[in-house]
Amino acid sequence: MQTTVDFIRERTNNFKPEIGIILGSGLGELADEYCDYAIPYTEIPNFIKSTVQGHKGRLVFAEINNKKIVMMQGRNHFYEGHSMSEITYPVKVMKALGVKTLILTNAAGAVNENFKPADLMIITDHINNMGTNPLIGPNDSTLGERFPDMTEVYKKSLIELAENCASKLKISLQKGVYWANSGPSYETPAEIKMIRKLGGDAVGMSTVPEATVANYCGLDVLGISCITNAASSETSGKLSHEEVIEAANIAKAKFKSLILEIITNL
Ligand code: HPA
């Protein structure tokens, strides 16, 4: 960790970010527009390369409206074959760099029948169905507790802030529970029915590991899903990654303005 942090500090002229943002599939544009320093993951000691289409794979540092931000433009996923500790390492790095608030974003399928493609959903809570947990293994008690409390992973005051920002911008928001599967296959119609019955509103393949680790090490978390599709059902037809990226493209203007407003008011 010290090697990683020293390298990043040196490459960014000792930039000290207070807010971290992980940009999900198709939502990476913010880091193209605001970029004071950028480091490809491949150059950072102990980081892993992002391989997913629509993801660039670099750590971007920028001062936006007087707030110092570090953005992950593209994330690593469990389904790529990386371990849970590998994919959550960047969260620990952000913590070590001084980040206090982490905004997690993703593309997700709608399970809630009231959601439509290009809706934004504020994550109120999550259900971990990935079959594992990023905190498995010896505990580093300097970072957090062995058995961390999970009653407010997504901080209520941040949810309220996001809602206020959205209403100011006249962006309508959905709210709901994010269900995480490991992927990479999308869900079967029977799985979607199950997720709906068990309380999921949106389904995806990320975010839960990072949120779990962020909560564990004391970061305030806000989660935003960009609903890119109706999750598979007998009636909604076949789902492709292209469709997911396309819907994220439609949503990205309002996504970007919402994120900027949140940053400004944090
Ligand atoms: N399921 C899982 N992950 C996803 C989906 C989906 O329907 N859409 C975008 N990411």
Side-chain angles (χ1 to χ4, degrees):
M1 178 58 74
Q2 200 53 52
T3 312
T4 309
V5 168
D6 289 347
F7 173 87
I8 292 171
R9 291 224 169 106
E10 200 183 308
R11 285 282 295 263
T12 60
N13 201 14
N14 212 18
F15 192 94
K16 295 236 167 60
E18 33 186 340
I19 301 167
I21 310 177
I22 300 184
L23 296 164
S25 297
L27 303 172
E29 209 176 81
L30 195 69
D32 287 325
E33 242 167 83
Y34 298 90
C35 176
D36 297 338
Y37 306 95
I39 319 175
Y41 299 153
T42 47
E43 293 179 21
I44 305 173
N46 308 322
F47 253 62
I48 33 174
K49 197 172 154 233
S50 175
T51 57
V52 176
Q53 208 183 327
H55 290 237
K56 256 187 180 154
R58 52 186 205 156
L59 208 55
V60 172
F61 297 79
E63 192 164 319
I64 308 179
N65 298 340
N66 295 318
K67 301 283 164 65
K68 289 200 163 72
I69 319 282
V70 54
M71 290 173 272
M72 284 188 76
Q73 197 173 27
R75 59 151 63 78
N76 297 297
H77 294 85
F78 187 54
Y79 61 72
E80 291 169 273
H82 308 300
S83 70
M84 278 279 163
S85 69
E86 284 169 329
I87 62 169
T88 55
Y89 183 68
V91 174
K92 295 178 184 167
V93 171
M94 286 185 181
K95 167 82 181 176
L97 288 171
V99 165
K100 301 278 184 284
T101 305
L102 180 61
I103 304 175
L104 295 169
T105 72
N106 60 54
V111 175
N112 186 316
E113 283 157 326
N114 297 320
F115 294 0
K116 327 175 281 306
D119 274 353
L120 298 180
M121 182 191 88
I122 296 293
I123 303 175
T124 54
D125 203 352
H126 74 224
I127 295 173
N128 178 8
N129 191 52
M130 297 180 92
T132 182
N133 188 295
L135 301 175
I136 289 174
N139 185 48
D140 177 354
S141 59
T142 62
L143 276 180
E145 292 176 48
R146 172 73 293 188
F147 301 107
D149 175 72
M150 293 282 281
T151 46
E152 198 183 331
V153 176
Y154 303 90
K155 207 174 158 98
K156 289 202 175 76
S157 58
L158 291 177
I159 294 174
E160 232 171 81
L161 173 73
E163 287 183 297
N164 291 338
C165 292
S167 73
K168 188 177 159 202
L169 298 169
K170 300 192 165 46
I171 292 171
S172 69
L173 281 186
Q174 306 283 7
K175 277 206 289 189
V177 172
Y178 178 88
W179 176 293
N181 287 330
S182 70
S185 47
Y186 289 121
E187 298 69 33
T188 64
E191 285 165 341
I192 293 302
K193 276 187 201 156
M194 175 195 75
I195 294 169
R196 194 174 292 130
K197 275 194 181 152
L198 294 182
D201 293 294
V203 58
M205 308 170 190
S206 68
T207 303
V208 161
E210 295 109 318
T212 303
V213 169
N215 174 69
Y216 158 78
C217 63
L219 298 178
D220 293 340
V221 176
L222 174 68
I224 306 174
S225 290
C226 173
I227 302 298
T228 51
N229 56 281
S232 71
S233 71
E234 286 92 348
T235 51
S236 65
K238 285 195 172 173
L239 175 60
S240 67
H241 185 61
E242 288 67 34
E243 179 183 341
V244 167
I245 297 296
E246 215 175 279
N249 276 334
I250 295 168
K252 71 186 177 193
K254 66 176 173 180
F255 170 81
K256 203 164 62 186
S257 53
L258 178 62
I259 294 277
L260 289 175
E261 188 66 21
I262 292 169
I263 290 170
T264 308
N265 289 286
L266 261 174

